[in-house]
Amino acid sequence: LSINQSVILFAGATGDILPDSLPSVPGTLPHFMKEPEDAYIIKSNPIKLLCRAVPALQIFFKCNGEWVHQNEHVSREYMDQNTGLKVREVLINVSRQQVEDFHGPEDYWCLCVAWSHLGTSKSRKATVHIAYLRKNFEQDPQGKEVPIKGMIVLHCRPPEGVPAAEVEWLKNEELVSSLTDDNIDTRADHNLIINEARLSDSGNYTCLASNIVAKRRSSTATVVVFVNGGWSLWTEWSLCNVPCGRGVQKRSRTCTNPAPLNGGAFCEGMSVQKITCNALCPIDGGWEEWSAWTLCSVQCERQRRRECNDPPPRHRGKMCDGPSDTTENCTGGMCTQNGKLLHDVKPQSMDGSNDVALYSGLGAGIIAVTVLVVAVMLYRKNQSDYGVDVIDSSALTGGFQSFNFKTTRQGNPLLLNSSLQPDLTVGGTYTSPICFQDSIDNKELFDPLPDIKVKVQSSFMVSLGVADRAEYHAAKGHPPETFPRGLNRDYSNSTVERRSTKKGLLTPNGPHLNPNKDQLGTTGVFGHLGGRLVVPNTGVSLLVPHGAIAEDPSSEMFMVINQGESSVQTEEGFEILLGPEVTYGPPSIDLSRPVAMTIAHCAEVDADNWNVQLKRKTQDNKWEEVMSVEDESTSCYCLMDSSSCHLLLDQPGSYALVGEPLTQAAVKRLKLAVFGSMGSTPMDYSLRVYCVDDTPHAFQGVVATETCRGGQLLEEPKILPFRGNTFSLQVSIQDVPQFLWNIKPFTTCQEFSFSQVWCSNQQPLHCAFSLERYSPTTTQFSCKISVKQVKGHEQILQVYTSVAESKKESVLFFMQTDCTVTSQTGPKAFKIPLSIHQRICATFDTANTKGKDWQLLAQKLHLDRNLLYFAKQQSPSAVILSLWEARHQDTGDLDSLASALEEIGKIQSKSTADHLSLFSYSVVQDIGDPPHC
């Protein structure tokens, strides 16, 4: 068919009649001047598809493979002014319904077909979509905290939409553009990337997605650029704090390079660093020996000289006192005025010459005797310092002298063999603390010794011809008890478990200690009213103040003492453990006020001789320094008393007191005790002497061990000051009756090295003396135990005991009924009644024109150091009173608190004074009349 016939047939098929006149451009195919374009239907608005071609006899649209009806075409024809050709243009509408009703394998599409005399041409396919944009983002940007100069990446996945949404970023509602800032990139997968964060990049960021249908906003992401604190440079080291010997130097730094900003971390590490220093001690000059006299000059004089070189003065030392040369007459005064000798001059008095000779001889004799006496004394002192076995003085008397014992109605419950009493020529009345009291009752710490009157005559006294006998009197009225009232025999199975001690202790000629290894601790359930945890007989307690725990849920707390070898890392030869390692928890507990922990220590506290530090175990089981006791800190508070350290802590964990001696005058206290028991055979007897750090906890290791092995405490424990001067500790046995008892040879004097004693770290040292009696009829034994530090202090333990075989009951060393109190809750745990406590806090926490009243309260209670710690507390007065409670838990001396309130009332305003007078009266009434009233 011809082209015209095809057009006519198509027109018939579409139901239309083609126009009469068709342009004729032979040899030319239709050329599309405009082809249909892709389109999006927005909401319900139809879209228009346009097609324009030249030369064209006719143009029709074909959609999804089917011809569009002629009636749906809108056609027009016009003349192109440039080419003179007729241009044909066709337009159709596509509705939303048409697109939604189409269900084909492809998107909805349309193209147009143009005819000419030569043939047909087809346009491109134009697709039609329904435009939309969903509401929810597939991924919203998330807020970040980024360190300065770190990279910031904010992710954004816009909602699904057709056409795909374009993304823009807003910072604080202003458009972010990467064109104006090279540090920002917004082109990668809709994410916002800031290569190096600056402080100015902090803000609120929003992802904005939009297409032809709508705009959507993401949730806002807050970006915080923080600055971690950085240490400044260290200052120069300070001068040594002592003019001579071993001291301390300090240097400091501040967290200002840079200072933390926007929640950045504070600097890690210590702001103050200390090192030991050795200041060169001044050496004063000393004179050399005089030179020989010169020859007698014509002036009848002779001279001699000496130099200040023995030693020469160094390090700011003093020059020698006195003249460096001297001159004297070499003729006895017989010289003429012109210098010639008077050979013929007769002495004025021959008697005067004789007197001079007499006095000179007497003086020389006295000097010789004095030098001899001093030499003998120095020799004997040297032998006593470094001597070996001590010869018993009983050998001088030819045998063992008899004893004279007077029987008693009752025995000392502290001494297991109470019928035989200690030597009273050595010590007086003593009440050494065995049981650590933690009760609110005002009881004595120890039961008094029973009514005893003992006369003792030792072989040593007889050998010296001493006729006087020592007598000892003690209080009456306490019947003997094997166990304290209210304490059953299952004490070891109570909430406080049995102790364990360190393996491998130094035990010359004696066995090792082998108690069990269970932990020693206690637990309690506390609420808003607070309470107290006590590990009996250890000097360790924990006060939970009122309000420290939330009101609704009660919390179970625990406190444990490490029984094994301490994990505290100390510098060998310098730092030592001064008290037990204590842990309290649980770690998750939330405390609104600090708790008060009390730990006994064994140091003679002196800031010039000790540097005492509080250390805490970190999560990786390492120990870090929390503070030095002499420094001020806002993280915790440390108060050192003579035998205990009171800590205010708000972070659960493990704590330990570590001491570093600054000079050789540093002293730690040792507790000495002697125990005895029968040996492996009926004829053998064993003495064990213990040297342990003077803390109740450390001594209980000895007590537990000796209780298990049936040992008897033969003498009241005594305290020995042990200096850090590198000299060893000697233990010797003296005055053993040699004709009744035999002691192993070469064991009468035993020695502990300085490092063993100094670095014992709460673990006991002991040595043993093995004795054998010659006859089974010998039933009494006496001796002296000397414990002495070379060139230091000495203590004598006097032993008098009966060794007759008899079955003895195991007697506890603690004679107080409150020794088993481990947990107290509510008001009964505190000395100060709650109502008075609250009124004191309400009064002193209020500021007045003279400053914070709580500062005056701290001053009067002698707690006026490190006030910055109290200042940061919500109620400084409550924390001060908690510390007072911990400090006075043994005495409960409310009278001192009442006196302090009265003193403050005298210097405050009238209204305040009236309140304080009422408080002090209430406090006194709570305990009755003060003793001085």
Side-chain angles (χ1 to χ4, degrees):
L1 297 175
S2 65
I3 295 299
N4 289 338
Q5 291 173 329
S6 299
V7 171
I8 293 171
L9 290 174
F10 173 76
T14 58
D16 292 327
I17 299 175
L18 294 175
D20 296 335
S21 59
L22 293 173
S24 176
V25 184
T28 302
L29 287 172
H31 170 67
F32 289 98
M33 299 177 64
K34 183 172 181 60
E35 296 182 274
E37 296 179 350
D38 297 337
Y40 296 91
I41 298 176
I42 301 174
K43 298 182 180 180
S44 298
N45 300 321
I47 54 99
K48 300 181 183 299
L49 296 179
L50 179 66
C51 193
R52 184 185 302 130
V54 64
L57 299 175
Q58 191 58 277
I59 301 175
F60 291 96
F61 272 92
K62 195 175 188 178
C63 293
N64 300 320
E66 297 181 358
W67 294 104
V68 179
H69 198 276
Q70 179 67 26
N71 294 338
E72 298 178 13
H73 291 72
V74 177
S75 303
R76 76 184 185 96
E77 192 176 55
Y78 62 90
M79 183 69 71
D80 188 348
Q81 299 296 330
N82 296 326
T83 61
L85 299 176
K86 289 182 179 179
V87 178
R88 181 170 291 277
E89 184 179 271
V90 176
L91 178 71
I92 65 171
N93 292 326
V94 178
S95 68
R96 182 185 185 100
Q97 189 66 39
Q98 288 176 291
V99 177
E100 289 178 347
D101 291 343
F102 173 71
H103 301 285
E106 300 178 303
D107 294 331
Y108 191 97
W109 59 269
C110 293
L111 58 80
C112 53
V113 181
W115 280 268
S116 70
H117 293 287
L118 189 60
T120 62
S121 296
K122 293 182 180 180
S123 70
R124 64 178 293 275
K125 284 183 179 181
T127 58
V128 180
H129 298 88
I130 298 176
Y132 67 92
L133 183 63
R134 301 194 184 278
K135 292 184 178 181
N136 297 325
F137 278 74
E138 295 184 4
Q139 183 179 6
D140 285 300
Q142 302 295 320
K144 292 180 179 293
E145 293 183 356
V146 184
I148 194 167
K149 294 187 179 180
M151 177 178 285
I152 302 175
V153 179
L154 297 179
H155 298 280
C156 178
R157 292 177 61 187
E160 179 186 352
V162 175
E166 296 182 355
V167 172
E168 294 178 309
W169 285 90
L170 301 178
K171 174 192 172 186
N172 299 332
E173 302 303 324
E174 294 184 3
L175 190 64
V176 176
S177 175
S178 59
L179 299 177
T180 58
D181 192 344
D182 295 336
N183 195 38
I184 297 177
D185 185 2
T186 59
R187 297 169 294 175
D189 299 330
H190 309 306
N191 298 331
L192 174 64
I193 300 175
I194 302 177
N195 296 316
E196 290 188 2
R198 302 155 295 190
L199 289 176
S200 59
D201 291 324
S202 298
N204 296 321
Y205 288 82
T206 306
C207 181
L208 184 65
S210 61
N211 64 4
I212 59 177
V213 179
K215 290 185 178 181
R216 302 280 188 258
R217 291 172 61 95
S218 70
S219 60
T220 300
T222 300
V223 174
V224 177
V225 179
F226 62 86
V227 178
N228 289 325
W231 289 113
S232 65
L233 295 177
W234 287 102
T235 61
E236 296 294 330
W237 287 105
S238 66
L239 297 177
C240 201
N241 66 339
V242 294
C244 172
R246 188 177 179 188
V248 174
Q249 287 180 284
K250 297 182 181 180
R251 64 175 182 176
S252 61
R253 56 182 179 176
T254 57
C255 190
T256 56
N257 186 33
L261 190 65
N262 292 342
F266 197 80
C267 303
E268 295 183 357
M270 302 300 297
S271 61
V272 178
Q273 199 174 52
K274 298 179 182 179
I275 59 173
T276 56
C277 56
N278 287 296
L280 296 175
C281 296
I283 299 177
D284 295 337
W287 290 114
E288 292 179 343
E289 295 292 334
W290 286 100
S291 65
W293 288 103
T294 62
L295 297 176
C296 197
S297 66
V298 294
Q299 287 81 20
C300 304
E301 293 178 342
R302 61 177 181 178
Q303 296 181 339
R304 63 177 179 179
R305 294 184 57 82
R306 59 180 177 177
E307 298 292 338
C308 188
N309 288 326
D310 190 22
R314 288 180 294 175
H315 312 313
R316 309 177 305 280
K318 297 180 182 179
M319 290 294 294
C320 302
D321 291 333
S324 61
D325 52 45
T326 182
T327 303
E328 71 174 13
N329 191 291
C330 52
T331 63
M334 296 183 296
C335 188
T336 62
Q337 293 181 354
N338 59 3
K340 293 183 178 180
L341 298 177
L342 297 177
H343 296 287
D344 299 331
V345 178
K346 183 178 179 181
Q348 294 180 358
S349 174
M350 295 299 293
D351 295 339
S353 300
N354 294 334
D355 291 343
V356 169
L358 176 63
Y359 291 135
S360 298
L362 289 175
I366 292 173
I367 292 174
V369 172
T370 302
V371 171
L372 179 60
V373 171
V374 170
V376 171
M377 291 178 65
L378 290 177
Y379 175 79
R380 294 184 62 184
K381 183 177 185 302
N382 184 60
Q383 292 301 315
S384 65
D385 280 346
Y386 296 97
V388 287
D389 297 351
V390 181
I391 300 176
D392 297 334
S393 60
S394 59
L396 302 176
T397 64
F400 175 74
Q401 304 298 323
S402 62
F403 288 85
N404 182 14
F405 285 91
K406 184 174 286 187
T407 59
T408 58
R409 294 193 302 271
Q410 53 203 69
N412 182 356
L414 199 60
L415 298 176
L416 293 183
N417 188 18
S418 57
S419 64
L420 302 172
Q421 304 305 324
D423 178 23
L424 306 171
T425 63
V426 182
T429 303
Y430 38 76
T431 54
S432 175
I434 300 298
C435 175
F436 183 80
Q437 178 173 345
D438 287 291
S439 171
I440 61 173
D441 298 329
N442 291 324
K443 298 180 180 179
E444 294 183 3
L445 285 178
F446 314 99
D447 286 350
L449 294 174
D451 181 18
I452 304 172
K453 187 174 182 181
V454 180
K455 294 185 178 181
V456 178
Q457 182 177 1
S458 71
S459 59
F460 177 70
M461 298 167 65
V462 172
S463 65
L464 296 180
V466 179
D468 295 334
R469 299 170 182 241
E471 293 189 2
Y472 176 72
H473 299 272
K476 302 180 180 180
H478 284 262
E481 291 181 319
T482 303
F483 286 81
R485 291 182 298 274
L487 179 62
N488 60 26
R489 296 175 181 268
D490 296 329
Y491 172 79
S492 61
N493 297 324
S494 65
T495 55
V496 181
E497 300 175 2
R498 304 181 72 175
R499 300 174 44 94
S500 65
T501 52
K502 179 180 176 182
K503 284 187 176 180
L505 302 177
L506 175 67
T507 55
N509 304 306
H512 292 280
L513 305 180
N514 290 311
N516 60 49
K517 300 180 180 180
D518 297 336
Q519 283 190 326
L520 181 68
T522 182
T523 62
V525 178
F526 300 102
H528 189 64
L529 294 178
R532 189 192 301 267
L533 285 177
V534 177
V535 182
N537 310 304
T538 62
V540 177
S541 64
L542 184 73
L543 181 76
V544 182
H546 170 76
I549 299 176
E551 292 189 15
D552 292 334
S554 297
S555 299
E556 184 177 14
M557 297 186 65
F558 67 85
M559 182 170 59
V560 176
I561 300 178
N562 179 23
Q563 293 294 95
E565 184 173 358
S566 175
S567 61
V568 179
Q569 299 295 323
T570 58
E571 299 178 18
E572 186 173 357
F574 290 96
E575 296 181 342
I576 63 172
L577 198 63
L578 298 179
E581 175 188 331
V582 183
T583 302
Y584 89 94
S588 60
I589 192 168
D590 186 17
L591 298 173
S592 58
R593 288 183 182 174
V595 299
M597 178 185 288
T598 298
I599 302 176
H601 66 80
C602 61
E604 292 288 348
V605 181
D606 186 349
D608 295 332
N609 298 326
W610 281 103
N611 175 28
V612 181
Q613 300 173 353
L614 176 64
K615 292 194 174 185
R616 176 175 57 210
K617 184 184 289 187
T618 60
Q619 293 182 350
D620 54 355
N621 290 327
K622 294 183 179 180
W623 288 86
E624 64 178 3
E625 180 182 347
V626 179
M627 68 174 294
S628 179
V629 171
E630 295 301 320
D631 294 340
E632 295 194 352
S633 171
T634 58
S635 61
C636 62
Y637 190 98
C638 188
L639 175 65
M640 292 290 289
D641 283 343
S642 59
S643 60
S644 296
C645 178
H646 309 285
L647 307 171
L648 292 177
L649 308 169
D650 53 12
Q651 183 176 346
S654 298
Y655 294 88
L657 279 177
V658 175
E660 178 188 12
L662 302 180
T663 67
Q664 290 190 357
V667 173
K668 81 167 185 176
R669 301 185 307 274
L670 296 179
K671 179 169 285 190
L672 311 176
V674 56
F675 291 81
S677 64
M678 296 299 295
S680 57
T681 67
M683 304 296 287
D684 293 337
Y685 191 78
S686 175
L687 289 180
R688 293 174 295 280
V689 181
Y690 289 84
C691 305
V692 62
D693 292 348
D694 183 27
T695 61
H697 162 260
F699 186 63
Q700 295 320 301
V702 177
V703 171
T705 302
E706 287 295 329
T707 302
C708 294
R709 65 193 305 171
Q712 304 176 36
L713 180 63
L714 303 180
E715 165 71 312
E716 286 280 356
K718 294 187 178 181
I719 304 302
L720 176 71
F722 188 82
R723 294 188 178 275
N725 56 9
T726 71
F727 288 103
S728 60
L729 186 72
Q730 293 179 347
V731 182
S732 61
I733 183 170
Q734 305 172 15
D735 289 352
V736 176
Q738 292 186 347
F739 292 91
L740 297 176
W741 290 88
N742 177 41
I743 186 171
K744 273 189 178 181
F746 310 109
T747 62
T748 55
C749 183
Q750 303 182 36
E751 186 168 336
F752 297 100
S753 67
F754 171 82
S755 61
Q756 287 174 311
V757 181
W758 189 255
C759 303
S760 60
N761 287 340
Q762 301 291 297
Q763 301 297 335
L765 301 174
H766 86 281
C767 62
F769 297 98
S770 298
L771 300 110
E772 181 183 5
R773 51 184 170 171
Y774 292 118
S775 171
T777 60
T778 302
T779 59
Q780 294 176 341
F781 174 75
S782 70
C783 70
K784 289 182 180 180
I785 303 294
S786 169
V787 183
K788 177 183 179 180
Q789 185 181 15
V790 176
K791 294 190 176 181
H793 294 85
E794 180 182 17
Q795 274 287 13
I796 298 294
L797 298 172
Q798 184 71 61
V799 175
Y800 292 98
T801 186
S802 173
V803 296
E805 288 189 74
S806 62
K807 188 174 182 180
K808 300 180 178 62
E809 283 190 313
S810 176
V811 180
L812 292 178
F813 293 89
F814 320 111
M815 303 310 298
Q816 286 180 274
T817 57
D818 58 345
C819 285
T820 56
V821 176
T822 60
S823 175
Q824 293 176 321
T825 58
K828 66 181 181 180
F830 302 94
K831 310 293 186 220
I832 306 174
L834 179 58
S835 59
I836 296 178
H837 184 283
Q838 292 173 336
R839 290 162 61 192
I840 293 176
C841 294
T843 300
F844 286 103
D845 285 343
T846 304
N848 61 19
T849 56
K850 295 183 180 180
K852 290 283 187 180
D853 282 344
W854 61 262
Q855 298 184 17
L856 191 56
L857 176 64
Q859 178 184 351
K860 293 301 180 183
L861 296 180
H862 309 291
L863 302 173
D864 53 345
R865 58 175 299 275
N866 197 7
L867 294 180
L868 290 177
Y869 178 85
F870 298 126
K872 76 162 190 172
Q873 303 298 327
Q874 183 177 2
S875 174
S877 300
V879 179
I880 292 172
L881 293 179
S882 296
L883 187 58
W884 185 92
E885 287 267 7
R887 194 176 192 183
H888 297 84
Q889 59 183 318
D890 296 331
T891 60
D893 187 13
L894 292 177
D895 189 38
S896 64
L897 178 60
S899 299
L901 296 177
E902 288 178 356
E903 290 182 21
I904 296 173
K906 294 177 182 177
I907 60 176
Q908 293 290 349
S909 63
K910 185 178 185 303
S911 61
T912 305
D914 292 340
H915 280 294
L916 296 179
S917 297
L918 179 60
F919 291 164
S920 62
Y921 174 78
S922 301
V923 170
V924 172
Q925 286 298 109
D926 193 73
I927 61 172
D929 293 333
H932 64 268
C933 292

